[in-house]
Structure formats: C-alpha cells, structure tokens
Amino acid sequence: MPPIYISYLNRLDVAALAMTDAEILAAIETALAAQGRGEAVIEPRVHLEPGVANGHFNVLRGSLGGSIDAAGVKVVGDFVDNYKKSLPSELAVLTLFDRFDGRPKAILDASGITDMRTGAVTAIGAKYLARKGSKVLGHIGARGTAYWNVRLLDSLFDFDEIRVHSRRPESRDGFAAKLAADLGKPVVATEDWRSCVAGADIVVEASRLDAPQPLLKTDWIKPGAFVVPYGTMSAVELSLTDIMSKLVVDDWGQCKGGKFGSLRAHVETGRLSETTLHAELGQIVAGLKPGRERDDETILFWHRGLSLSDIALGHAMLAKGERLGIGQRLRFA
C-alpha cells in the first residue's frame, strides 16, 4: 500500500488563514450551485444525545462533486450551557475523504467553519431572496453563527440599521459592541424581540431555547421581508408560514424529518410540505427555479445546516493553507 498523508488544520491554523468574506461566500455559493445541479449526495443529519448535559452532537455527512470532489463527515457538539465554562456552545471536527476510494484526506477544526458557513448560507439566501434595497436587519441570537450571519449579510447589503437581541444582557451588549467595532457602524442591542425584528427588511432568528416557544410573532413581520428562522427549538408561531409568498429550504431531505428544527411543527402539520415548498436554495442558485421575483413577496428561508457547505469551506481552507504554508501534513498509513 502506498503511503497515505492527511492535512491537518487546527483552530490556530484556521484563524491564521484569515478567510475573507468574499472567499467564504464564493465557496458556499459554489457548493449550493453544485447541489442544485444534482452533483452532490446529502444524508440527513443524525443526532447523538449523551443524556448527561444540556446538549447533543450533530453528525452531518455528504459527498460533493464538481471542482471540490470530496466526501466529508462533520461531528459538532451543541451544548447550550458551555458559556458557563467559557467555551463556545458549538465545537466541531470535519473529516474529508477521497470519494472514489475512501482515503482520508484531511482533518480540520470545524468550529469556525460551522459559524462561517452558516452565516454564508444565510447571506447567500438573502442575496437571492431578500429585496435588493434591504437596509434594516433584525437579528435574534448571539451565538457563534450569529456573528457571521450579521457580518456576511452586511457585506452584501451595507445596512443602515442593525438591531440585535439575545436573552442575556451581557451577551447582547457584547455582541453589539463587537459587531460595531468590526463593521464600523452602530449596532443597537434591543431589550426585547419585538423592538429587534418589527419592521425589519431582513429578520434572522437564531435563538437558543430549551423548548419550543412562539416568541417571534407573525404580526411583527413586515410585508416584503425576508425571514430566516433556524433555531434548534422553534421560536415562531404556526401562522408564520401562512403569510409567506415562498417557502425555501436548504435541503428538503433534512428538513422533512428529525427531532429538531425551527419549522418542525410546520412540517408535522402540513404547512410545509412538498406541495407548499417553493424550492431548495441550491436550485435557485443554479438557476433552475426563481428566487425573489417581486418586492412585495414575503419569503421564508429555513436552513438546517448542510454537510456540503462544510466540505466546500473546508476544501477552500485547505487550498489557501497550501498556498500560504499554513497547517500540518501528517502520516496516516
């Protein structure tokens, strides 16, 4: 057997890569287009609940063709109380493989990848589904993915007003301060959900609830808005889908089943189904189905997280690391 080597990028390596907003968005848009063209295989995520803490592990699996041409598996822990240990709520590892013979190709710290690719999917969704003149963002939640939601959305829309809210004052105030410093514009931390999202052009709900609770009211949504709910537990009313002109998801296979997800009850009650679903985002990016067609359309995009996005961003990081001499090469066999 010939020797097998794997590339390894730890958290410090990923930070040293300093991936730009444009690099992140390009990698994710490429993967979404490939998915839309049918050049990918996605297996619905599975969950491991260890039963000893307030959290679980997500296991995401996929195979992506085109220029990326790799298979991958990501395991990400999602533990709500990690802030008490000064740890991020999500810690992850991504493994990449040759999809023709199964050789392991790389191991990457995927905590940052998870945050970046989630924000990029939100932003690419807005690129195709939000009104072009959207200038007010309302964002619920301040966990790791939230930063990249706001940062990458602002890179596309250059908002006049950004509002953020989370349950703990120290969390939302710190989040707003970091965003303001990094984006070079004011960011308002609101004390309640309504003042954050009411009348916003783009609404992102990334809350961390222990159990489903309808905190995001349908009446607060502005006609023509773009709404992205993706909390693990639902924070929206059942009536939210009733006001939507289009319902879009990242992958229907993942969204239609499983225990978790912000629109789980909407699937179970038939409000979101093969009949009411407009498209998967990849189909829109690939030009196979239309995105926003009129300014007065109110559109919802639910994304549960794509293994393909992890694979694509991991691939882009490895390529940049090779160019810059960042990372390690390890003997596997």
Side-chain angles (χ1 to χ4, degrees):
M1 183 178 72
I4 298 174
Y5 293 89
I6 59 174
S7 298
Y8 175 60
L9 293 176
N10 62 28
R11 178 172 288 240
L12 300 177
D13 296 328
V14 170
L17 290 173
M19 298 292 288
T20 66
D21 296 351
E23 287 171 334
I24 297 167
L25 291 169
I28 301 308
E29 192 161 7
T30 296
L32 286 167
Q35 177 198 6
R37 293 191 298 266
E39 299 171 358
V41 175
I42 306 172
E43 292 191 349
R45 69 172 61 197
V46 294
H47 305 282
L48 169 63
E49 297 180 72
V52 294
N54 185 14
H56 63 278
F57 294 95
N58 300 301
V59 183
L60 292 79
R61 305 155 293 166
S63 174
L64 185 58
S67 60
I68 294 168
D69 209 20
V73 177
K74 186 182 77 172
V75 180
V76 51
D78 189 353
F79 288 80
V80 174
D81 297 324
N82 272 10
Y83 71 91
K84 298 176 183 177
K85 302 179 181 180
S86 298
L87 290 171
S89 60
E90 295 174 315
L91 292 165
V93 173
L94 171 66
T95 53
L96 297 180
F97 302 86
D98 186 298
R99 66 192 190 112
F100 294 96
D101 59 27
R103 281 177 298 162
K105 298 173 65 176
I107 300 172
L108 301 88
D109 170 78
S111 305
I113 289 175
T114 299
D115 295 345
M116 293 175 194
R117 66 86 154 136
T118 302
V121 172
T122 300
I124 297 298
K127 176 180 176 179
Y128 288 88
L129 298 170
R131 287 189 300 106
K132 299 303 181 188
S134 295
K135 286 300 177 184
V136 179
L137 170 66
H139 191 290
I140 300 292
R143 52 176 162 155
T145 59
Y147 173 84
W148 288 98
N149 282 333
V150 178
R151 172 170 162 171
L152 294 176
L153 281 167
D154 189 62
S155 76
L156 296 180
F157 290 90
D158 189 19
F159 296 112
D160 292 337
E161 184 178 354
I162 297 174
R163 314 170 193 154
V164 299
H165 173 78
S166 67
R167 179 173 48 191
R168 294 181 292 120
E170 65 273 20
S171 174
R172 62 180 179 251
D173 291 343
F175 183 47
K178 177 174 175 54
L179 284 170
D182 290 356
L183 300 181
K185 62 176 61 179
V187 176
V188 178
T190 72
E191 295 185 357
D192 57 77
W193 285 56
R194 182 172 187 169
S195 59
C196 181
V197 305
D201 299 310
I202 297 177
V203 174
V204 181
E205 181 276 308
S207 62
R208 301 302 304 269
L209 303 181
D210 294 327
Q213 187 178 358
L215 297 173
L216 178 60
K217 304 299 183 182
T218 304
D219 289 346
W220 299 343
I221 302 302
K222 172 183 176 179
F226 173 58
V227 182
V228 187
Y230 73 85
T232 301
M233 297 293 179
S234 176
V236 303
E237 295 183 305
L238 278 175
S239 58
L240 182 66
T241 53
D242 298 342
I243 68 168
M244 296 298 162
S245 309
K246 290 186 172 83
L247 301 174
V248 178
V249 300
D250 58 354
D251 175 63
W252 177 239
Q254 289 195 117
C255 290
K256 69 181 179 181
K259 178 179 178 180
F260 299 110
S262 61
L263 296 190
R264 179 61 50 226
H266 298 77
V267 173
E268 292 171 352
T269 57
R271 287 172 170 82
L272 177 58
S273 66
E274 284 91 343
T275 301
T276 63
L277 180 67
H278 170 67
E280 293 180 343
L281 180 59
Q283 295 172 316
I284 295 171
V285 174
L288 302 177
K289 291 194 175 180
R292 177 175 288 270
E293 298 173 277
R294 303 185 316 274
D295 281 352
D296 63 352
E297 289 182 303
T298 308
I299 299 177
L300 181 145
F301 172 45
W302 178 28
H303 60 95
R304 297 217 56 214
L306 287 173
S307 58
L308 306 181
S309 300
D310 297 309
I311 294 167
L313 189 51
H315 175 82
M317 287 181 171
L318 288 167
K320 187 171 185 179
E322 186 173 349
R323 293 195 307 271
L324 299 179
I326 295 173
Q328 302 174 53
R329 188 169 183 254
L330 305 176
R331 179 76 182 259
F332 177 79

